[in-house]
Amino acid sequence: MFTDKESFKQAYLMKLIEGEGINLNDATHWDQFVALVILVKEKMSYYRAINQNSMSQGKQVYYFSMEFLIGRLLLNYLVNFKIEDLVREGLAELNINLDDLLEQEADPGLGNGGLGRLAACFLDSMAFLGIEGHGNGIRYKYGLFEQKIVAGNQVEVADNWLKNGYPWEIRKQNRAVVVKFKGNIRTEQNEGRLTFYHENYEQVLAVPYDVPILSYENCSYINNLRLWSAETTCGELDLVCFNRGEFNQATSFKSEVEAISYILYPDDSSRAGRELRLKQEYFFVAAGLGSIVRSYKKKGINSLQEFSRRVAVHINDTHPVLCIPELMRILMDEEGMGWDESWNITVNTMSFTNHTIMPEAMEKWPIDLFKGLLPRIYLIIEEIDRRFKESLVRKFLDNEEVVRNTQILKDGYVWMVNLAIIGSSSVNGVAKLHTEILKEEVFKEYNRIFGYKFNNKTNGVNHRRFLLTANPKLSRLITDAIGPSWKEEAGELQKLHGLKNDRSFLEQLAKVKYENKCRLAERVKTKQGIDLDPLSIFDVQVKRIHAYKRQLLNVLKIMHLYNKAINDPESLTTSHTFIFGGKAAPGYHYAKTVIKLINALSQKIEHDPKVNQKLKVVFLENFNVTQGEFIYPAADISEQISTASKEASGTGNMKFMMNGALTLGTLDGANVEINEAVGKDNIFIFGLTAEQVLHYTRYGGMPTPTLERV
Ligand code: 26Q
């Protein structure tokens, strides 16, 4: 295995020639990329082998999430192995630019936005901290659509991220798990115990694909992201049907099964309630828990009584909440435990994060649909609900509202968030303000019953991806100034305080920002043919398009500047480039219209010679993790202007801030904590507080005559 530049070059050339039968001159960027991937994978296998010997018996953490937005991995692996410079220089000596190879890698769009990226950041952090923490999700054949802008409108194109194969995944056929849907439940009394038999079900084979999550620095910590793919249990086709001549039936069953992991649903909470989504949710939950229990037993621990001491399962929003009844099912129906013991183990194993306060985004399923698809899971939920209500009636006899607002089965629906709170030992919000709103407003009844469960975990981001790797120039400047320890411990960045009046440092800082703006401008020119002026102020709002995030407010502000400039061109003292980016859910008409409006405004200004030297609006196509890595380092101003109380936390706000952008924002989500941390020179706050907004929504009009502005 290579250890220095020369041995790397040799190994690399050998891979090209031996592995792919290509010599350097004939190799395309793709061939060159593949050769590097193979070398990195070999390095990983080497560390894996070392790690096998020191397999810990420590607690295993499983992060269940419908979404993981992991971004590209090649550079992440090179940085974590601390071989980026060696590889970059070695390749340069072979006349290969590492950046060209990085561009070959697909960015798997297996998530909608913040929630999915948070899951990926947690995997990175757990690996770094030496926590044995693994992701469990779905290997969607198609990720979130790729966004194109045609005549100012968003057009969705399928995200075929697997078309060239995904080099980092390893299919583990022998770890496949059978998942059962539909059918009926027969009960029988066996030795005084009611036993449940699931019959006439349809079975689906869940096949795992593992992606390695490598720790920064300590390369022997390699965790796993396990993504499940749905297949038929009988190989290619239902041969029995096929041989009987029932061709259509055989092929349609196959496609019905494969549909489960076919595509990621866009965050379109208002149009929830589709059976396929529920199938997806149970599919990866049952597969994941099945494999956890199997590997738990393999370790030779006979009794599952120890389970919650050795295993933690985290539920990322309500999407994987079926973990709760599914673990109950396994413990009772497969392991023969009683209800109380199973319930204790289950609650102590599960923890849950809520990511929203918006009532329309709370997941609920029509009972009839639910019962038909998951008959045994439904019975368990019914029993959880019954027992919960029974315990409530004892404690809250007086309070009908408490009973009504906390039950799982209500108005013909299964309310997933209620199941999550009742069945977990910890419930957290994602920023201080958000958690307060959960405790005092959204879940106030639960807070009376289970106050001890509620806690806050303010979101964070992986500064090694979004600063160290995405912004190499700033990273070098920081390291020269305060040493390298900030790479492991982000808190060390505080040392930069000492340089706040250091002229030379500040000049270099400005130079880095300028160069990052040039880098973004170059990329935008190549990708969209648009010229950006790096000398103008880059004022950026990139995030999903949503009413509460208020891209429209930003547009109105720009229109105001434009109108002013028409009458008085001198009113614009500096030139501004307003940059937007973000996807709209395909069914969200309002959000799509906002995109159209931004592009219309962009055209209008572009064609107005009175202002087009000073003002520009651009919409960047297909905002994703990779685009973000170019955008955050290049921003002067970060727009974080959601209606106070609506943005649970936000994480883009942190990525911009750590790359030296000033924030224009409202007191919402984690902006509140950023405000406390960075002070008035770095964040500019406007608008109502969350309390004022909530008061306004509840009572109408203005909350108090002396409305105080922050
Ligand atoms: C729901 C039903 C049907 C189909 C899709 C969905 C769905 C999918 C994704 C609903 C919600 C999401 C994603 C939500 C999300 O990303 N929330 C964000 O989470 C971040 C991490 O905590 C926060 O920083 C953001 O404030 C929050 O908006």
Side-chain angles (χ1 to χ4, degrees), residues 67 112-116 118 265-269 272 274 277 319 355 363 430 459 548-549 647-651:
E67 308 195 356
N112 272 283
L115 170 150
L118 185 76
Y265 273 103
D267 171 6
D268 186 3
S269 321
R274 280 160 295 187
R277 168 96 183 168
H319 319 149
H355 295 265
E363 228 187 337
V430 289
N459 281 168
Y548 82 80
K549 293 178 189 277
E647 189 70 271
S649 161
T651 44

Side-chain angles (χ1 to χ4, degrees), residues 224-414:
N224 201 18
L225 167 58
R226 177 157 282 185
L227 299 175
W228 297 94
S229 179
E231 299 183 7
T232 52
T233 44
C234 48
E236 284 306 297
L237 270 182
D238 185 340
L239 275 180
V240 180
C241 277
F242 195 77
N243 292 341
R244 277 205 305 255
E246 294 158 3
F247 306 122
N248 287 346
Q249 223 164 304
T251 47
S252 85
F253 181 66
K254 180 172 150 69
S255 39
E256 202 183 304
V257 165
E258 288 171 359
I260 296 175
S261 56
Y262 197 68
I263 192 159
L264 166 83
Y265 273 103
D267 171 6
D268 186 3
S269 321
S270 52
R271 290 202 308 165
R274 280 160 295 187
E275 187 180 33
L276 185 57
R277 168 96 183 168
L278 184 59
K279 258 189 178 172
Q280 291 185 330
E281 293 185 357
Y282 183 66
F283 168 73
F284 90 108
V285 158
L289 280 177
S291 100
I292 291 169
V293 170
R294 186 153 73 188
S295 75
Y296 177 92
K297 286 178 158 177
K298 254 202 202 144
K299 285 189 176 166
I301 316 159
N302 287 329
S303 137
L304 278 146
Q305 282 155 347
E306 293 266 291
F307 194 76
S308 61
R309 286 212 295 120
R310 294 173 182 268
V311 173
V313 170
H314 193 75
I315 299 172
N316 194 26
D317 214 292
T318 51
H319 319 149
V321 73
L322 296 179
C323 278
I324 292 164
E326 175 63 7
L327 185 57
M328 288 296 285
R329 188 194 66 76
I330 294 173
L331 296 176
M332 295 188 303
D333 297 1
E334 290 178 13
E335 302 298 327
M337 288 184 177
W339 181 278
D340 290 337
E341 194 179 13
S342 304
W343 184 243
N344 272 338
I345 294 171
T346 300
V347 174
N348 287 325
T349 302
M350 303 293 164
S351 52
F352 161 64
T353 300
N354 166 284
H355 295 265
T356 185
I357 66 154
M358 288 189 281
E360 70 271 21
M362 297 292 170
E363 228 187 337
K364 59 178 196 219
W365 293 100
I367 286 178
D368 288 341
L369 182 152
F370 197 107
K371 246 191 215 169
L373 191 66
L374 305 167
R376 177 62 182 131
I377 294 299
Y378 180 75
L379 287 179
I380 292 171
I381 291 176
E382 221 174 26
E383 184 61 10
I384 295 173
D385 193 41
R386 192 190 67 76
R387 288 179 185 239
F388 172 72
K389 274 191 296 206
E390 194 180 74
S391 75
L392 264 193
V393 173
R394 270 186 263 132
K395 283 190 217 144
F396 292 91
L397 269 174
D398 52 324
N399 201 327
E400 227 172 79
E401 207 181 353
V402 171
V403 179
R404 197 184 139 65
N405 287 343
T406 55
Q407 54 193 313
I408 304 170
L409 302 175
K410 182 176 56 173
D411 305 333
Y413 288 96
V414 184

Side-chain angles (χ1 to χ4, degrees), residues 8 62 249 296 345 370 435 444 458 483 653 683:
F8 164 73
Y62 295 93
Q249 223 164 304
Y296 177 92
I345 294 171
F370 197 107
T435 303
K444 57 176 186 290
T458 299
N653 46 4
I683 186 164

Side-chain angles (χ1 to χ4, degrees), residues 144-157 266 544-545 582-588 591-593 595-596 599 619 621-622:
L144 188 67
F145 64 89
E146 199 185 309
Q147 179 195 54
K148 298 245 181 269
I149 301 296
V150 179
N153 291 304
Q154 166 174 300
V155 173
E156 299 93 19
V157 180
R544 289 298 289 263
I545 314 290
K583 296 178 185 176
Y588 191 177
K592 291 182 120 175
T593 312
I595 294 179
K596 175 76 182 171
N599 286 311
F619 189 92
E621 255 175 6
N622 200 37

